Amino acid sequence: MKIQLKQLLIISTLLLVVLSVKAQELYVGTNYHPHDDKDQEKIKKDIGLMKAAGFKVVRMGHLAWDSYEPSEGRFDFKWFDFVMDMMNKAGIKVILDIAIRPAPVWLHHKYPSIDVTSPGGVAQYPNHRYMDDVGDPMYQKYAVRYADTLTKHYAKHPALLAFGVDNEPGDGPISYSETVRKRFVVWLMKKYATIDNFNTAWATQRWSRRINDFDEVGLPVAGEKNGAPEKILDFRRFISDEVNQILFKVLDRVNTNAPGVLTNTNAWYFSWMRYFDYSEIAYSGKMAREGCGYYPGNSLTTNWGVMNANFVISRNQFESTNPFWCSEFTTMTAVPNSIRKSAYATLMYGNQMVCGWTWQSMWSGEEQYLEGMLDWDGTPNRKYEEYKKIATEFKKIEKYFPYKASPEVGLAFSFPSQIASSSFPEAQDQQLQSCWNLFHYRNMDSRILEISKSSLKYKLLFVPGVTVMDETTANKIRDFVKNGGTVVMTSNSGVVDETGKVFASTHPGRLSDVFGIRVAGYEETEQMNEISRASLRGKKIELNYMGKTIGTESSRYDVIESKGAEILGSITSLDKDYPIITANKYGKGKAIYVGLPASGEVLGPLLDKLIDELGIKKGPQVPAGVMARQIDKNHFLYLNVTGEPKEIPMNGKSESILFDKSYDGNFTVAPYEPEFIEIK
């Protein structure tokens, strides 16, 4: 018995070792669409090319529900079993998407309530993808049945790496049908219980909008800037809940039928068409690998695209410490070496997968002009060779990855604030990215978070334009500062309560005492029209911050009155000096308010001072134009994103694992090239 127990312990230990080694891996692969023609000989040839390129993974099945269920209840997996078996034979793992959208046309015909209805009340034929009312009960019934059948069939297939849960959830137009309205009414009844609670929350005394029966509720008009904000905010929360509802149902089917199998999604929750609160999924822990598409544009020399695409990784990741998967990675019209440059950039944000979209240039459909790694006739092109090079290089360094960030700074995301701030020149998303950019340029880790769901274990917290200030969020900010944290809040924060009504109390609502100020309102720097609001940040203004002059642009600024806060900076270029940056001691911590939308010019000097004051770890010290991370004690990753050679300061000896070189002291990274070194 003792021997058996000892053997069991040894086996368990070995299994843990294998699993830990497996985690230290980088995946390079492609999105593949065998349902286009189901030609077995072509599939064999394609898989041979994938294996020759060193690909470890393919993503399949997305946008293809009716390839597996061509008519109601008639499932056909035989053709795809062949594909899965061939992938397994080649040693290529599969992310199998559960393609619950778009729904098949046969399902739309059976249940027309699934059709999207325009704001004008006209049912829209499902001419293109994502034309589905995902909250419709019959849609959800059939989507879950499809997910159940697919996951049962492939749960134990040896090629399976993960199940993908939907594709680009959040994309597609919102439906304004009568069935949606009725579901919205039920949602409101559950939330408010009584008609009096409802009328109070929606401020229906304004403009004679009082409701005497829940069934009198109508849907808001399309466009977030039209209609009562309280109504719009609740409607968008309702839509968000329905999107999350179907995602959770599918996740539950996967976890029941395939316990322990990884889950992933190609998230696009922030689509302008149907933005929803993905933080509900991210914080649930049910999505084992957060993921998204990575599309930085086609430029090698311009880095805005790479920076913006890395921001997308961060906003999908939230506070998950799991490896990230770029389950789609650009092929399209990317210029030579730009894909490779982007691939290395993602490694600094915890990415583990570069899965090219797409394998072959499309023959038909909505994306028929998009280019892949193979041309239309199946001949490999330059992008195939570039992905092959990425796979070869990643194999050299993969045992040190994926990178595990250790951020000391949190950046607050807020779904309701994104909806409520749409009337402002700077939406919450824009302010959030401006804060994120600060750390990107400094080669520092930061973490996007949802305050009400976060433990806030950071030294510094940015609250950029968090317009909706609910009681839970306010209390967590208050406690964070009281217990020694430092918070930086920017304008458009704490404007409305959780119902969408402007605080009748001192602003920032629920937190004015923490910040030691009264925000009296705002002034515009110049007369703005709709065109300039969309295209310009506003008038150039100058600030004096700690004796230094800062130039920036803004269409408006907050009128701030100190109620005990120290004034750190003022606008000096207008008719008089206006306090604009304040700091207030509260408990053991500090609350800093900036009465302008987040921007690098204003927040940069403030951040540099706080980094020193709070002892926040700085990023690797490198020349401008070099991305860098310290991966572990002895290993550093660099990426030169400029067209000029960059000299990296280094003491002592080091070796290039990527290029098998030895360095003594400083070394140079060539234009647009990566470098991965080990300190000796």
Side-chain angles (χ1 to χ4, degrees):
M1 183 70 177
K2 288 182 179 179
I3 294 175
Q4 289 178 337
L5 181 60
K6 185 176 181 180
Q7 288 174 333
L8 184 62
L9 288 171
I10 291 171
I11 292 170
S12 299
T13 303
L14 287 172
L15 180 60
L16 287 172
V17 170
V18 169
L19 289 174
S20 65
V21 170
K22 195 70 174 176
Q24 298 296 108
E25 186 170 14
L26 295 176
Y27 294 99
V28 179
T30 187
N31 285 251
Y32 188 47
H33 309 278
H35 56 273
D36 281 351
D37 58 13
K38 303 181 183 178
D39 182 334
Q40 291 192 357
E41 291 306 311
K42 183 180 185 308
I43 290 168
K44 289 179 182 178
K45 181 181 177 182
D46 287 339
I47 293 174
L49 287 168
M50 293 175 196
K51 186 175 182 179
F55 288 179
K56 292 183 178 182
V57 66
V58 294
R59 175 173 172 248
M60 298 189 289
H62 41 302
L63 309 173
W65 180 343
D66 63 7
S67 292
Y68 304 100
E69 190 181 7
S71 60
E72 182 182 355
R74 184 171 70 85
F75 289 92
D76 177 14
F77 295 123
K78 186 176 180 181
W79 70 273
F80 195 69
D81 290 345
F82 168 80
V83 183
M84 292 288 286
D85 292 344
M86 290 297 295
M87 289 295 179
N88 182 56
K89 188 176 180 181
I92 298 174
K93 292 297 183 181
V94 175
I95 301 173
L96 178 52
D97 259 33
I98 306 168
I100 57 172
R101 291 180 315 131
V105 173
W106 59 257
L107 187 58
H108 278 271
H109 277 283
K110 186 176 179 68
Y111 298 105
S113 59
I114 295 173
D115 294 348
V116 167
T117 297
S118 73
V122 179
Q124 307 293 297
Y125 187 80
N127 284 313
H128 54 89
R129 60 184 173 177
Y130 308 144
M131 296 294 291
D132 311 301
D133 174 11
V134 299
D136 183 87
M138 298 315 297
Y139 164 81
Q140 293 205 357
K141 174 183 175 181
Y142 278 81
V144 172
R145 187 186 74 169
Y146 167 64
D148 186 57
T149 305
L150 184 76
T151 54
K152 281 178 178 175
H153 188 84
Y154 289 110
K156 296 181 180 180
H157 197 286
L160 184 70
L161 175 65
F163 280 114
V165 180
D166 198 10
N167 180 66
E168 297 176 341
D171 197 20
I174 293 171
S175 181
Y176 290 82
S177 69
E178 175 61 13
T179 57
V180 171
R181 189 194 71 81
K182 288 180 178 179
R183 296 200 308 269
F184 184 39
V185 167
V186 172
W187 186 88
L188 292 170
M189 291 173 68
K190 288 180 179 178
K191 180 173 183 177
Y192 293 111
T194 71
I195 203 71
D196 287 341
N197 291 341
F198 167 79
N199 278 310
T200 299
W202 277 28
T204 58
Q205 75 278 2
R206 299 290 297 179
W207 314 115
S208 191
R209 291 181 287 111
R210 190 176 304 278
I211 297 294
N212 295 309
D213 186 280
F214 276 106
D215 199 47
E216 294 175 0
V217 172
L219 299 180
V221 294
E224 295 167 354
K225 296 183 181 180
N226 299 306
E230 300 91 349
K231 184 175 188 176
I232 291 168
L233 187 56
D234 260 349
F235 180 64
R236 295 303 296 271
R237 282 174 168 145
F238 157 72
I239 294 296
S240 175
D241 283 354
E242 291 203 323
V243 176
N244 279 316
Q245 181 185 67
I246 184 60
L247 293 177
F248 277 124
K249 285 181 178 180
V250 173
L251 280 165
D252 287 345
R253 285 295 86 210
V254 175
N255 292 332
T256 298
N257 295 336
V261 171
L262 296 176
T263 51
N264 169 246
T265 189
N266 180 35
W268 189 20
Y269 67 84
F270 43 90
S271 165
W272 63 272
M273 298 187 79
R274 198 187 302 184
Y275 198 124
F276 75 100
D277 189 0
Y278 184 74
S279 71
E280 296 287 342
I281 299 289
Y283 280 93
S284 73
K286 291 188 175 184
M287 195 71 74
R289 296 290 184 270
E290 306 303 339
C292 68
Y294 193 90
Y295 296 103
N298 66 353
S299 177
L300 179 66
T301 59
T302 303
N303 294 305
W304 277 103
V306 169
M307 183 172 69
N308 292 343
N310 280 331
F311 172 63
V312 170
I313 292 178
S314 294
R315 72 188 306 185
N316 279 291
Q317 205 168 26
F318 285 94
E319 294 183 277
S320 171
T321 57
N322 294 329
F324 192 85
W325 285 0
C326 285
S327 49
E328 290 185 10
F329 212 87
T330 188
T331 54
M332 306 218 185
T333 55
V335 301
N337 204 45
S338 64
I339 300 171
R340 179 168 164 266
K341 183 186 81 167
S342 295
Y344 279 98
T346 67
L347 297 184
M348 301 185 197
Y349 289 90
N351 184 38
Q352 189 182 23
M353 182 176 293
V354 174
C355 196
W357 179 276
T358 183
W359 172 247
Q360 187 163 345
S361 298
M362 301 289 192
W363 291 334
S364 58
E366 294 172 38
E367 298 180 313
Q368 68 177 25
Y369 301 120
L370 297 187
E371 296 183 87
M373 301 181 207
L374 272 60
D375 293 328
W376 286 283
D377 62 358
T379 303
N381 58 35
R382 186 267 309 164
K383 282 165 277 192
Y384 170 83
E385 296 298 330
E386 191 164 332
Y387 270 90
K388 183 177 181 180
K389 185 174 184 179
I390 295 168
T392 301
E393 291 181 347
F394 275 17
K395 191 171 181 62
K396 293 181 179 181
I397 65 174
E398 67 178 355
K399 70 178 182 180
Y400 305 102
F401 291 90
Y403 171 61
K404 294 181 179 179
S406 53
E408 297 177 293
V409 181
L411 313 174
F413 156 87
S414 168
F415 164 73
S417 296
Q418 167 60 25
I419 304 303
S421 66
S422 63
S423 295
F424 300 147
E426 301 84 8
Q428 204 262 330
D429 273 6
Q430 293 169 269
Q431 293 210 52
L432 178 62
Q433 182 163 8
S434 291
C435 289
W436 182 91
N437 291 349
L438 294 168
F439 298 92
H440 171 84
Y441 286 126
R442 287 165 175 75
N443 288 312
M444 295 173 62
D445 296 332
S446 63
R447 189 77 80 191
I448 290 176
L449 56 88
E450 213 290 346
I451 291 175
S452 68
K453 299 178 177 69
S454 175
S455 59
L456 296 183
K457 294 180 179 179
Y458 303 94
K459 293 181 178 180
L460 176 62
L461 173 65
F462 277 83
V463 183
V466 176
T467 307
V468 179
M469 189 57 61
D470 61 88
E471 194 167 350
T472 300
T473 299
N475 287 341
K476 294 191 82 167
I477 293 173
R478 180 182 297 275
D479 289 344
F480 174 77
V481 180
K482 186 178 180 179
N483 293 326
T486 297
V487 63
V488 177
M489 177 182 280
T490 65
S491 68
N492 298 341
S493 294
V495 178
V496 301
D497 66 14
E498 55 269 32
T499 70
K501 292 194 292 292
V502 172
F503 284 108
S505 60
T506 306
H507 291 192
R510 292 194 165 113
L511 290 169
S512 60
D513 61 321
V514 175
F515 286 87
I517 58 173
R518 171 180 178 262
V519 177
Y522 64 85
E523 297 280 3
E524 294 194 344
T525 54
E526 60 181 5
Q527 188 65 39
M528 304 289 287
N529 57 42
E530 288 304 314
I531 295 175
S532 61
R533 283 184 192 277
S535 59
L536 297 175
R537 289 171 56 192
K539 183 179 179 179
K540 291 182 178 180
I541 55 177
E542 287 187 353
L543 320 180
N544 183 290
Y545 168 68
M546 304 292 286
K548 296 181 180 179
T549 299
I550 299 172
T552 188
E553 297 177 12
S554 182
S555 61
R556 56 171 63 175
Y557 58 93
D558 287 345
V559 178
I560 301 172
E561 297 175 7
S562 172
K563 298 296 181 181
E566 178 186 2
I567 298 172
L568 302 180
S570 299
I571 297 176
T572 57
S573 58
L574 300 177
D575 59 307
K576 64 176 185 178
D577 290 357
Y578 290 90
I580 205 66
I581 304 175
T582 62
N584 189 54
K585 292 182 179 179
Y586 184 83
K588 299 178 182 178
K590 184 189 296 185
I592 298 171
Y593 190 86
V594 179
L596 294 168
S599 71
E601 304 97 338
V602 176
L603 294 180
L606 175 62
L607 173 60
D608 288 335
K609 188 171 185 294
L610 290 173
I611 288 171
D612 291 335
E613 285 183 0
L614 302 176
I616 296 172
K617 184 181 178 181
K618 297 181 179 180
Q621 300 305 295
V622 293
V626 176
M627 293 180 65
R629 286 294 190 279
Q630 182 172 353
I631 303 304
D632 57 31
K633 183 179 179 181
N634 297 316
H635 296 89
F636 289 78
L637 176 63
Y638 302 93
L639 178 64
N640 183 356
V641 295
T642 76
E644 301 174 351
K646 295 288 183 176
E647 186 176 11
I648 307 299
M650 184 65 62
N651 294 321
K653 297 181 182 295
S654 60
E655 287 190 4
S656 169
I657 297 175
L658 261 182
F659 304 117
D660 300 320
K661 295 180 181 178
S662 295
Y663 300 120
D664 190 355
N666 294 357
F667 60 90
T668 299
V669 181
Y672 309 117
E673 283 293 308
E675 180 58 287
F676 186 70
I677 67 159
E678 181 176 74
I679 305 297
K680 293 298 182 182

